[in-house]
Amino acid sequence: MITPRTLKGFRDDLPETMMLREKIIDAVRDVFRSFGFCPIDTPALEYLEILSGKGSEETDKQLYKFTDHGGRQVGLRFDLTVPLARFTAEHIGELGTPFKRYHIAKVWRGENTQSGRYREFMQCDFDTIGTDSIASDIETGLVMYEILRKIVGPDFKIRINNRKVLSGLLEKLGLADKATAMLRCLDKLGKIGREKVAAEMVQFAGATPTQADGVLKLAELTGSNEEILDSLKPMLAGNATGEDGIGKLNTFLSAVAAAGVPNDRIVLDVSIARGLDYYTGTIYETFLDDLPQIGSVCSGGRYDNLAELYTKQKLPGVGASLGLDRLLAALEQLGRLEKSQSPVDVFLPYFVESRLGDYLKLAATLRENGIGVEFYPEPKKLGQQLKYADKKGFRYAIIIGEDEFAQNVCQFKNLKSASAKEVALCDLPNEIKQVDFSARG
Amino acid sequence: MITPRTLKGFRDDLPETMMLREKIIDAVRDVFRSFGFCPIDTPALEYLEILSGKGSEETDKQLYKFTDHGGRQVGLRFDLTVPLARFTAEHIGELGTPFKRYHIAKVWRGENTQSGRYREFMQCDFDTIGTDSIASDIETGLVMYEILRKIVGPDFKIRINNRKVLSGLLEKLGLADKATAMLRCLDKLGKIGREKVAAEMVQFAGATPTQADGVLKLAELTGSNEEILDSLKPMLAGNATGEDGIGKLNTFLSAVAAAGVPNDRIVLDVSIARGLDYYTGTIYETFLDDLPQIGSVCSGGRYDNLAELYTKQKLPGVGASLGLDRLLAALEQLGRLEKSQSPVDVFLPYFVESRLGDYLKLAATLRENGIGVEFYPEPKKLGQQLKYADKKGFRYAIIIGEDEFAQNVCQFKNLKSASAKEVALCDLPNEIKQVDFSARG
């Protein structure tokens, strides 16, 4: 006998988890689609040369790679961005621009499982490719806002910034050639504090104390979106890059306000720098008000050239990635998920063995009326069947014995309150439709 | 520069295909759920010992296998049945029975691509585990019927049989020990004809000509469901296995009729034998009336013991597998799919650059009203934007220039008929809702 087990770092998704995941994915997809984003999929396996050297040193080490039947070096995708670059280079002629896609799929990384990470997990990305119009940056923010609003409710903040603001300041201070090192230091501001960051900027990035102070002054700006923009203007006056960044942030914030986003939901945060080498314009992070410690649940930004390794065509784009697993864990922690082990609310026990056809006919009628119903397959004792219904979390049971069949009625039982009422079978669909199922999306 | 390409036997799913696939999967999932089937997922990678030796010699050869970072022998799943067996053995104590699950996921096989097969494809399975009640066999048939009816329309037939009928006959004819060889010969009836099958039964299975004739007589029974059942009774009289099979077919056919399935949609076909060693009771095949040559689009059956390699607990079950890719290809061939490159029908060109916020506000209002809309991100010439809209297959465009903004109206243009009418912006959501989008599910 073989021990049934999954590999270390892998896990089965049981119905309870899977139903929540499907529900969230459905909601996310609806938002993507309502903005005109299309789904795509790419193979789990790619040529190794497509995948290796495209992420970090770490992702290279974590790559699941092997030689296939035909002697090809292949690997399992470790993210959806590298496949998107390869996909876009291959198909953009046919697809045209702007190309707006979403991709919700599994990726694999041989992570150290001690960190609590899984080696197989789902990513959920959306991008607009082939345009550098700020309108797409704004739309990206609006998509994030809609998704979070629908899934989480009102308690979140999307923080935005524009990399050009910081780049402009570094240019103005004469630190353009030290940008990466400076950003690496600045990235630690939240963790180690101003003084240490300033010291590191001098020690590791080769800045003067005055230059370090200038960069930190900018990163520390706080206040309303308008107040921060007002403070930025004199700091970047005369620098074209910085002024462009401020202009884009200004356009962004006015447009999302015009589109109906409350002022405090998308906020300017000049301290965020994300993706040191990759992002070049707008950048996004999203935090839940009640669980800031779990980190950003949706992040992204604008990049200059998606697929430069595969095509000479310059493909700028903007997009973001939604942390589905993190979001699911957060909603669970916040008690915002109603768990269930059944996709339907109504249970139909099999009570009178000879009436199989009648039970199935009733179930078919309910389904015709849009009411999902689970029929128990064995004519066991009613108590046993109701125990099953209870374990699975059904809300209602339709109980019909020989007497009820003779009179064309049923006992419509609320399993939570244990109350029951007699309902004519012909009225049952309408009776059930009047019941409040609102808590179950 | 790296050539952007997918591995042989693998393919990208572009938006047009992916949208059709998502639409069909959504419809299938809705049916599964309405009967109380729950989704699960399992890892793409399993321990090699779980996968190898579980399918045929061919699947063993086709297995993608390698050694992972931790020195484990692992493989990519080649179907969803082996993972289901492993999953069920591991979790059935927690889940309880009956356990009804569906699983829609990719599998991988290093197939010979010359046959036109792909090395990565989607499977869509559903099963009821832990009960041998005929009610679950019936429900499996009803699920198949509902799915086909919703996706294909009325032009299909589900053929059913019960393996006990043939087993009973083989017992009665004294061929019980030659069952597998006899079934292997019988399986060729459609291809090589009666005479050659009879000869092979004698030559390879060791039957007498009279025994071969007896088996063929049964397999060749035709007529209405009732006529076939009537003919079977004398042939199997006195054999308990065969009589049990006839009784179960009878119960099955009466119950699906009671549940509202038209008589000619689920038909008895005693010639089908499927899955020589695996299935033990009801078996199912489904053919499209207009495309019988593509083979069965949904097949399955009842089995006695799902997970005997992993647990001592006996787990009977019944289920079927829907050939999503085959179905998609068939619907395309039948011209039943309306293809589109956009998930929404309404296009909003960006006409007046300074009005970005106003366009986004209008788009937000439409989405609030459940109307998806794609906004073009660049204020290019209107002709260029409409060319894009045309290529993507949008049906309607909302055209607003400075004059329209000033008067709070828009030109609501039908892109197929090229007709347009002026509509007040406040009336636009209702105007669009009245439009017939029915052809786009």
Side-chain angles (χ1 to χ4, degrees):
Chain A
M1 199 149 293
I2 300 162
T3 310
R5 56 184 179 147
T6 52
L7 288 159
K8 199 175 157 190
F10 289 76
R11 58 186 161 167
D12 289 322
D13 286 314
L14 272 66
E16 199 174 72
T17 308
M18 246 338 246
M19 280 192 283
L20 295 173
R21 176 174 293 161
E22 285 196 350
K23 188 174 159 185
I24 289 189
I25 289 176
D26 286 352
V28 171
R29 270 193 345 182
D30 281 351
V31 175
F32 287 152
R33 287 166 160 257
S34 75
F35 281 82
F37 286 83
C38 296
I40 68 161
D41 202 5
T42 65
L45 286 173
E46 297 265 3
Y47 277 104
L48 192 58
E49 64 172 9
I50 301 284
L51 301 175
S52 65
K54 303 309 179 304
S56 61
E57 252 177 66
E58 216 186 346
T59 54
D60 263 9
K61 241 190 289 174
Q62 295 169 345
L63 208 53
Y64 281 99
K65 54 188 171 191
F66 60 97
T67 306
D68 80 357
H69 306 82
R72 300 171 200 87
Q73 295 287 308
V74 303
L76 284 163
R77 64 178 171 219
F78 63 90
D79 74 1
L80 302 178
T81 303
V82 173
L84 173 66
R86 196 267 308 144
F87 177 102
T88 309
E90 209 170 332
H91 303 293
I92 199 70
E94 181 186 344
L95 295 165
T97 56
F99 170 53
K100 293 162 74 169
R101 82 87 175 82
Y102 65 87
H103 193 182
I104 304 172
K106 296 257 170 100
V107 302
W108 296 269
R109 295 182 191 175
E111 295 260 13
N112 182 349
T113 54
Q114 283 176 324
S115 59
R117 293 206 174 144
Y118 287 96
R119 290 176 174 171
E120 177 181 60
F121 56 96
M122 192 155 256
Q123 285 204 335
C124 174
D125 289 10
F126 70 102
D127 288 82
T128 302
I129 294 155
T131 174
D132 42 31
S133 168
I134 186 73
S136 293
D137 301 54
I138 296 164
E139 188 170 74
T140 303
L142 292 174
V143 169
M144 291 169 64
Y145 171 73
E146 277 302 307
I147 288 174
L148 271 292
R149 189 169 74 97
K150 291 208 166 129
I151 293 179
V152 175
D155 333 335
F156 66 89
K157 272 188 185 50
I158 299 172
R159 298 187 194 161
I160 66 147
N161 191 10
N162 192 305
R163 286 291 304 271
K164 288 183 194 290
V165 169
L166 206 51
S167 300
L169 183 74
L170 293 172
E171 282 174 17
K172 202 177 162 183
L173 294 173
L175 288 165
D177 57 330
K178 304 187 175 83
T180 307
M182 288 297 286
L183 287 174
R184 197 160 286 146
C185 296
L186 188 58
D187 227 22
K188 299 186 194 167
L189 186 58
K191 281 182 209 144
I192 63 173
R194 182 186 226 276
E195 236 168 293
K196 282 188 183 155
V197 169
E200 290 199 357
M201 283 177 169
V202 171
Q203 192 182 350
F204 300 121
T208 67
T210 315
Q211 286 173 326
D213 184 62
V215 173
L216 283 161
K217 270 214 177 87
L218 179 135
E220 285 171 341
L221 286 177
T222 54
S224 71
N225 294 339
E226 294 71 26
E227 286 165 353
I228 296 176
L229 283 175
D230 283 344
S231 309
L232 283 176
K233 276 172 201 161
M235 295 175 90
L236 290 155
N239 176 276
T241 308
E243 287 179 339
D244 182 30
I246 295 175
K248 287 199 159 69
L249 286 171
N250 194 32
T251 304
F252 187 110
L253 292 165
S254 314
V256 296
V261 178
N263 241 342
D264 59 346
R265 217 57 54 74
I266 300 190
V267 298
L268 180 50
D269 181 344
V270 278
S271 76
I272 63 170
R274 293 205 76 77
L276 294 178
D277 301 316
Y278 188 60
Y279 294 124
T280 51
T282 311
I283 43 184
Y284 313 81
E285 287 184 353
T286 312
F287 293 87
L288 305 184
D289 293 354
D290 300 325
L291 287 173
Q293 70 277 13
I294 64 164
S296 175
V297 295
C298 188
S299 316
R302 171 167 282 285
Y303 39 87
D304 275 343
N305 200 357
L306 173 69
E308 57 192 338
L309 292 167
Y310 314 104
T311 176
K312 282 174 190 159
Q313 189 177 350
K314 200 178 172 191
L315 292 165
V318 59
S321 188
L322 186 72
L324 276 178
D325 288 328
R326 192 176 280 191
L327 208 49
L328 210 65
L331 290 173
E332 188 168 356
Q333 222 175 310
L334 293 172
R336 304 250 176 101
L337 296 173
E338 201 199 349
K339 288 188 179 184
S340 166
Q341 292 188 25
S342 168
V344 294
D345 289 306
V346 180
F347 179 66
L348 177 62
Y350 183 7
F351 199 38
V352 185
E353 182 160 13
S354 62
R355 291 284 198 167
L356 181 56
D358 295 314
Y359 286 112
L360 292 172
K361 185 180 167 186
L362 175 64
T365 306
L366 293 176
R367 290 186 196 111
E368 249 345 279
N369 279 277
I371 299 159
V373 55
E374 179 166 336
F375 175 59
Y376 196 85
E378 296 176 17
K380 285 188 179 167
K381 281 187 185 151
L382 187 59
Q384 261 180 290
Q385 298 186 51
L386 291 178
K387 214 172 138 189
Y388 167 86
D390 195 49
K391 180 173 186 277
K392 293 275 174 183
F394 289 96
R395 296 174 166 214
Y396 298 93
I398 298 162
I399 297 166
I400 317 183
E402 200 52 81
D403 289 352
E404 282 84 1
F405 272 123
Q407 296 167 53
N408 279 309
V409 298
C410 71
Q411 301 298 322
F412 183 52
K413 187 170 178 174
N414 182 325
L415 293 171
K416 306 292 172 193
S417 69
S419 62
K421 72 192 251 194
E422 191 170 285
V423 177
L425 288 182
C426 58
D427 295 335
L428 188 60
N430 284 329
E431 179 74 27
I432 297 177
K433 279 182 198 171
Q434 281 162 34
V435 155
D436 178 24
F437 290 114
S438 57
R440 178 89 47 91
Chain B
M1 201 152 290
I2 300 162
T3 310
R5 55 183 181 150
T6 52
L7 288 158
K8 202 175 155 188
F10 289 76
R11 58 187 160 166
D12 288 323
D13 287 314
L14 272 64
E16 199 176 72
T17 309
M18 248 336 248
M19 279 192 282
L20 294 173
R21 175 172 294 159
E22 284 197 350
K23 188 174 159 182
I24 289 189
I25 288 176
D26 286 352
V28 171
R29 269 191 350 178
D30 281 351
V31 175
F32 288 152
R33 287 167 160 257
S34 75
F35 282 80
F37 286 83
C38 296
I40 68 160
D41 202 5
T42 64
L45 286 172
E46 297 264 4
Y47 277 103
L48 191 60
E49 64 172 9
I50 301 284
L51 301 176
S52 65
K54 303 308 178 306
S56 61
E57 252 178 66
E58 216 187 345
T59 52
D60 263 9
K61 239 188 293 173
Q62 294 170 346
L63 208 53
Y64 282 98
K65 55 187 171 193
F66 59 97
T67 307
D68 80 356
H69 306 82
R72 301 170 200 89
Q73 295 287 307
V74 303
L76 283 165
R77 66 178 170 219
F78 62 90
D79 74 1
L80 303 178
T81 303
V82 173
L84 174 65
R86 196 268 307 144
F87 176 100
T88 309
E90 207 170 331
H91 303 294
I92 198 68
E94 179 185 347
L95 295 166
T97 58
F99 170 53
K100 295 162 72 168
R101 82 87 175 82
Y102 65 86
H103 193 181
I104 305 172
K106 296 257 169 99
V107 303
W108 296 269
R109 295 182 191 175
E111 296 259 12
N112 182 348
T113 53
Q114 282 175 326
S115 60
R117 291 202 175 147
Y118 287 96
R119 292 177 170 167
E120 175 180 62
F121 54 99
M122 192 155 256
Q123 285 204 335
C124 173
D125 289 11
F126 70 102
D127 287 81
T128 303
I129 293 154
T131 174
D132 42 32
S133 168
I134 185 72
S136 293
D137 302 55
I138 296 163
E139 187 169 76
T140 302
L142 293 174
V143 169
M144 290 169 65
Y145 171 73
E146 278 302 306
I147 288 174
L148 270 293
R149 189 168 73 96
K150 294 215 163 119
I151 293 180
V152 175
D155 334 334
F156 66 90
K157 271 188 186 49
I158 299 171
R159 297 187 195 160
I160 67 146
N161 191 12
N162 193 305
R163 286 290 305 272
K164 288 182 193 292
V165 169
L166 206 51
S167 300
L169 184 75
L170 293 172
E171 281 173 16
K172 203 177 162 182
L173 294 172
L175 288 165
D177 57 330
K178 303 186 175 81
T180 305
M182 288 297 287
L183 288 173
R184 198 160 285 147
C185 296
L186 188 60
D187 226 22
K188 301 187 193 164
L189 188 58
K191 279 182 209 144
I192 64 174
R194 183 185 224 277
E195 240 168 286
K196 283 191 180 150
V197 169
E200 290 199 357
M201 282 176 171
V202 173
Q203 192 181 346
F204 300 122
T208 67
T210 317
Q211 286 173 325
D213 186 60
V215 173
L216 282 161
K217 268 212 180 91
L218 179 134
E220 286 170 340
L221 286 177
T222 54
S224 72
N225 295 339
E226 294 71 26
E227 288 165 354
I228 297 176
L229 282 175
D230 283 345
S231 311
L232 283 176
K233 277 172 201 160
M235 296 174 91
L236 289 156
N239 176 278
T241 307
E243 287 178 338
D244 182 30
I246 294 174
K248 287 201 157 69
L249 286 171
N250 195 30
T251 304
F252 187 108
L253 292 164
S254 316
V256 296
V261 178
N263 241 342
D264 60 345
R265 218 55 56 73
I266 299 190
V267 299
L268 181 49
D269 181 343
V270 278
S271 75
I272 62 171
R274 296 205 73 79
L276 294 175
D277 302 315
Y278 188 60
Y279 294 124
T280 52
T282 312
I283 42 184
Y284 314 81
E285 287 184 353
T286 311
F287 293 87
L288 304 185
D289 293 355
D290 301 323
L291 287 173
Q293 69 278 12
I294 63 163
S296 175
V297 295
C298 188
S299 317
R302 171 167 282 287
Y303 40 87
D304 275 343
N305 200 355
L306 172 71
E308 57 192 337
L309 293 167
Y310 313 104
T311 175
K312 284 174 189 160
Q313 189 177 352
K314 199 175 172 192
L315 292 165
V318 58
S321 187
L322 186 73
L324 277 179
D325 287 328
R326 193 176 278 192
L327 208 50
L328 210 64
L331 291 173
E332 187 167 359
Q333 222 176 312
L334 294 170
R336 301 251 178 101
L337 295 173
E338 201 201 349
K339 288 189 178 182
S340 167
Q341 293 188 23
S342 169
V344 294
D345 289 305
V346 180
F347 179 66
L348 177 60
Y350 183 8
F351 199 42
V352 185
E353 182 161 12
S354 62
R355 290 285 199 166
L356 180 56
D358 295 313
Y359 286 112
L360 292 172
K361 185 182 169 185
L362 174 64
T365 305
L366 293 175
R367 291 188 196 109
E368 242 356 270
N369 279 278
I371 300 159
V373 55
E374 179 168 335
F375 175 59
Y376 196 84
E378 296 176 19
K380 285 187 180 169
K381 279 185 185 157
L382 187 59
Q384 258 180 293
Q385 297 187 51
L386 291 177
K387 214 172 137 188
Y388 168 86
D390 195 49
K391 180 171 185 276
K392 293 275 172 181
F394 289 96
R395 297 174 166 215
Y396 298 93
I398 298 162
I399 298 167
I400 316 182
E402 199 52 81
D403 288 353
E404 282 84 2
F405 272 122
Q407 296 168 51
N408 278 308
V409 298
C410 70
Q411 301 299 322
F412 183 52
K413 186 170 180 176
N414 182 324
L415 294 171
K416 307 291 172 194
S417 69
S419 62
K421 73 191 250 194
E422 191 170 288
V423 177
L425 289 182
C426 57
D427 294 336
L428 188 60
N430 284 330
E431 179 74 28
I432 298 177
K433 279 182 198 171
Q434 281 163 34
V435 156
D436 178 24
F437 289 114
S438 57
R440 177 90 46 90

